Structure formats: C-alpha cells, structure tokens
Amino acid sequence: MLYEFLVGLRYTRSRKRAQGRNRFISFISLVSMFGIALGVAALIVVLSVMNGFQEELRSRILGVASHVQVQSFDGGLRDWQRVADEAMRHPAVKAAAPYVQEQGMLSFDEGVRGTVVRGVVPSEEDKVADFGQYMKAGSFDALQPGRFGIVLGRDLAQALRVQLGDKITLIAPQGLVTPAAVLPRVKQFELVGVFEAGMYEYDSGLALVHVADAQALYRLGDAVSGVRLKLDDLFAAPRVARELAMQISVPGLMIHDWTRSHANFFRAVALEKTMMTLILFLIVAVAAFNIVSTLVMAVQEKYADIAILRTLGASPASIMGIFVLQGSIIGLVGLLAGVAGGLAIAGNLDVVIPALETLTGATLWNKEIYYIKELPSKVLPADVISIVSVSFVLTLLAALYPSWRASRVNPAEALRYE
C-alpha cells in the first residue's frame, strides 16, 4: 500500500480517543459525508420521478394521439386508402387508421359543452391508439356505422350528466342554407361508452363517433381529415415523417409527428427537469465545499505531522496527495451512501409515500388530482452515472486548495514551537 493512501486513510478515520479539535474535525467530516449523501439521494429520487412522469405523460398522450399524422392541405383527404397503403410500406410503420376531426357542440338537457369530434374506425383505431384500454363504461366497438353512437371522455360525460343510452344532441358548425336563415346541422347520438385517458385535455374535450357518421354529419363524402400512423419506435417519428414525405406520392400532403404536435409541452417538462437538476446540484456543491473547511482544519491540526513527513523525505506532491485522498474518501463515502439511499427510495416510492402519509397524516399524493394511481419512478443509468461523476469532480475540486496549502508547509516553521 502506498504510504500516501495509508496516511490519508488514517487521517480520515475517526479515532475513539479523539478529543477536542480532533473530534470536531471528525464531526465536520461526517456532516460533509451526510450532506453529499443527501444531495445525491435527492438528485436520484427527483430525476427518477421526473423521468417516470415524462414517460407516463408521453404514454398517455400517445395513447390518444398518434406518432405521425398525414393530412391534406385543403382539409379533406379523399385518396386516404392509397396514402395508408404507401405509408405501410415503410418498415417502421406498424399500423395506419383514417380519422375525421372537426369541432362540435354537445347538448343534453340544460348542459352545453364544446368538444372536438373525432370520427374513427374502431377496429383500425385500436391499432394506433389505446381507447380500448381506457374504456370505463360501455364498449368502444359499439361505434357502428349508421347507429350514430358516441363515446365521451369521463369529465365531458360528467359535465353533461349523461349515462349510457342517453340521447345527446351534436351541433355541427357547418350550417344548412335555407331561404329564411342559415341553420346549424343537428343530429342526435346515443352514448355507448365512456373513456378515461388520464389527460384532462382529452377526458374533458374529446368525443368519438364512427368515421362514416362523422362524414355524413359534416358532409365530407368519402373524404377524411387524415391518416394516423403508429411506429415501432416512437422516438424515430421525426426521421420517419421526413422519409414518408419523400415516399408517399400523393401531392398536397402535410406530415407531422408527435414531437411537433406537443412540442411546447415536452419542452416545458425537459426545461423543468434541467432546472431541478441544477438546483439540486447546488445542494451537492454546498456539501462538497464543506470538505474545504474540513481539510483546512485538518491541515492546521496536522502541521507537525506534515513537517515530520517532509523531513523524512516526503515530497510536496505526496503531502498534497495525502489530503486530496482524504477529501476524496469523504466524498466517495458520501456518494456511495447517497446512491444506495437514492436507489432504495426511488425503487420503493409505492411504499415510502403511503408510509409518510400515515406518519404525517397528510395527503402527499392525491389520485383524483394527478389521474395516476401511484407516483411514477424510472431510474436511468445515465442519470446515476452523471450524478456520481459530477459530484465526485466537485469533491475533488473542493479538496485541491487545502491540499495545496498543506504541500506548501515549511518544516522549519512548523517545528519551531513543537
């Protein structure tokens, strides 16, 4: 064992007979370790929760939206079957489904709500979305052409106070021109199902009907609004959208992917994650720079030891290495404890949150507000590696200046009053 490592390890360990200043230095070392461990654990837990949220929200959004949408510039896509067939030739495209999307107003009894009306083919829509999994009442397959059935989001159904089997009036903005006036197009639909996607935007403002009924109500003929595509890799959507734009031969198309449709939302989540990371790294930085005070006091207390080592032939680099090693050990122990604690908490949030709620008597996670049964968490190895690397670099930087001061100790001056 190198003597620098042996001496540095001996200086780091707290001694049972340590008294006065030695005991205080040991206490400061423990505080530094605890601070680094707390900061690292907080970073791992917070980033894991934000990763879980991001994945949960992405899956819920893409469970209702689509990976890629193909639309026509003039608003009506007539040759949609050809578009779907050519898109399916791309190896990354798993499924395609036509849809009609228009604005409408729902009326029942004395309640009126504006909504987005989406016409779908249930058998095809199940291949690109997850409405079948989100159904809370009724059946998604009950949307049959000519029956004029309708499926509503849970919040929208509650706002209208409707139940399965009720007749709901759907008012389309496209009007009928008569000699007397322009009258809105009105049609009664039967509520055949209620879904809950867990996203307020969809649960409170989306109504599903069969594509044939939507075409009849909005006078689209055999045209649709576009084609929705599902990919085998959702993160490849921007690249696939560009390739489809060159592959599909139908002119006048507009192709966009989910990263553009919900760009502001996901940018906000990414920005929040970045800012939380920076804020929590400040906690680690404060704890790491506590090592400075620990090593400064250790150097002052070990002046005589340093002088003796120098007179025995130790070089300034060796003295510096001893105290850098002491600071590194403090930081490393704190890092290991923080990683272990952070991974343990992040992997058991389903137990930790209920335990804290029982202990404090407060509701920390309201399922009715967040629409998620439990706090999501996803630990990414890249995040853990980044946290450990940056934190360890901070501890090394904090140890450099006191170690350099130790290497500059003059043996004659240090031993003059010993």
Side-chain angles (χ1 to χ4, degrees):
M1 182 183 294
L2 294 175
Y3 81 90
E4 292 93 346
F5 183 82
L6 179 65
V7 176
L9 185 63
R10 184 180 181 87
Y11 282 174
T12 304
R13 289 181 301 178
S14 60
R15 293 172 291 181
K16 294 182 179 180
R17 295 183 180 180
Q19 294 180 355
R21 196 168 184 178
N22 288 336
R23 181 173 293 177
F24 182 69
I25 295 173
S26 299
F27 173 75
I28 296 298
S29 300
L30 290 175
V31 170
S32 301
M33 291 179 187
F34 179 76
I36 293 172
L38 186 62
V40 170
L43 264 171
I44 292 175
V45 172
V46 170
L47 291 186
S48 299
V49 170
M50 298 196 73
N51 291 333
F53 260 122
Q54 196 169 10
E55 184 178 17
E56 186 75 19
L57 292 173
R58 185 189 297 120
S59 63
R60 288 176 181 270
I61 288 174
L62 298 181
V64 178
S66 58
H67 295 172
V68 177
Q69 288 187 354
V70 183
Q71 298 172 305
S72 175
F73 279 109
D74 59 10
L77 183 60
R78 298 191 177 278
D79 202 4
W80 67 265
Q81 189 63 58
R82 177 183 169 189
V83 172
D85 292 340
E86 292 187 9
M88 287 296 294
R89 294 173 188 167
H90 195 287
V93 178
K94 294 176 61 179
Y99 74 97
V100 172
Q101 189 153 311
E102 298 287 347
Q103 299 290 326
M105 183 174 292
L106 295 175
S107 174
F108 179 78
D109 198 6
E110 297 180 356
V112 178
R113 288 290 186 276
T115 183
V116 174
V117 180
R118 182 183 295 175
V120 298
V121 180
S123 59
E124 300 296 325
E125 188 69 12
D126 269 338
K127 299 176 182 178
V128 298
D130 300 326
F131 284 110
Q133 302 176 15
Y134 294 151
M135 296 300 295
K136 297 299 179 183
S139 172
F140 186 53
D141 294 328
L143 294 177
Q144 299 296 329
R147 180 182 174 182
F148 290 96
I150 190 169
V151 175
L152 302 181
R154 191 195 71 165
D155 293 339
L156 183 57
Q158 289 179 347
L160 292 171
R161 299 180 181 178
V162 292
Q163 298 179 355
L164 292 181
D166 287 341
K167 298 292 184 178
I168 306 171
T169 302
L170 176 57
I171 306 170
Q174 292 84 350
L176 293 171
V177 180
T178 66
V182 178
L183 301 178
R185 293 182 60 81
V186 179
K187 182 64 181 178
Q188 278 196 333
F189 284 77
E190 178 186 354
L191 183 63
V192 297
V194 176
F195 72 87
E196 182 183 4
M199 291 293 295
Y200 184 77
E201 176 186 356
Y202 301 123
D203 291 343
S204 64
L206 181 61
L208 304 175
V209 299
H210 195 277
V211 69
D213 298 340
Q215 289 171 330
L217 178 65
Y218 291 98
R219 291 185 168 184
L220 296 176
D222 59 350
V224 297
S225 299
V227 177
R228 289 152 54 83
L229 306 177
K230 185 174 184 179
L231 310 180
D232 55 2
D233 181 11
L234 62 93
F235 296 106
R239 174 183 58 82
V240 174
R242 291 191 299 269
E243 294 174 356
L244 288 174
M246 296 182 291
Q247 175 180 323
I248 299 177
S249 60
V250 178
L253 295 182
M254 178 174 57
I255 304 176
H256 55 91
D257 58 274
W258 66 272
T259 62
R260 295 175 59 189
S261 303
H262 302 85
N264 292 336
F265 179 80
F266 286 105
R267 284 173 186 167
V269 173
L271 178 61
E272 183 180 4
K273 179 180 177 181
T274 301
M275 294 308 299
M276 287 297 297
T277 303
L278 292 176
I279 292 170
L280 291 173
F281 262 126
L282 291 178
I283 298 176
V284 178
V286 170
F289 282 100
N290 281 339
I291 296 175
V292 174
S293 59
T294 301
L295 293 183
V296 166
M297 288 188 292
V299 169
Q300 292 293 330
E301 196 266 337
K302 301 296 184 183
Y303 254 39
D305 294 1
I306 296 171
I308 293 172
L309 288 173
R310 289 296 308 278
T311 57
L312 291 176
S315 66
S318 297
I319 300 299
M320 187 174 179
I322 290 172
F323 289 95
V324 168
L325 186 61
Q326 183 179 355
S328 300
I329 292 174
I330 295 173
L332 187 59
V333 171
L335 279 174
L336 294 177
V339 170
L343 293 178
I345 295 174
N348 297 278
L349 284 176
D350 55 339
V351 177
V352 174
I353 296 299
L356 290 176
E357 289 180 340
T358 303
L359 185 63
T360 60
T363 302
L364 302 178
W365 187 256
N366 194 329
K367 302 177 180 130
E368 296 181 358
I369 294 177
Y370 299 103
Y371 294 101
I372 302 174
K373 294 181 180 179
E374 59 186 26
L375 192 64
S377 176
K378 182 180 181 181
V379 180
L380 296 180
D383 287 344
V384 177
I385 293 173
S386 300
I387 291 169
V388 172
S389 301
V390 175
S391 301
F392 189 67
V393 168
L394 288 175
T395 59
L396 285 179
L397 292 176
L400 287 179
Y401 176 73
S403 303
W404 178 78
R405 288 291 304 272
S407 68
R408 307 294 295 177
V409 170
N410 188 331
E413 291 292 332
L415 293 175
R416 175 176 297 178
Y417 301 106
E418 293 294 330

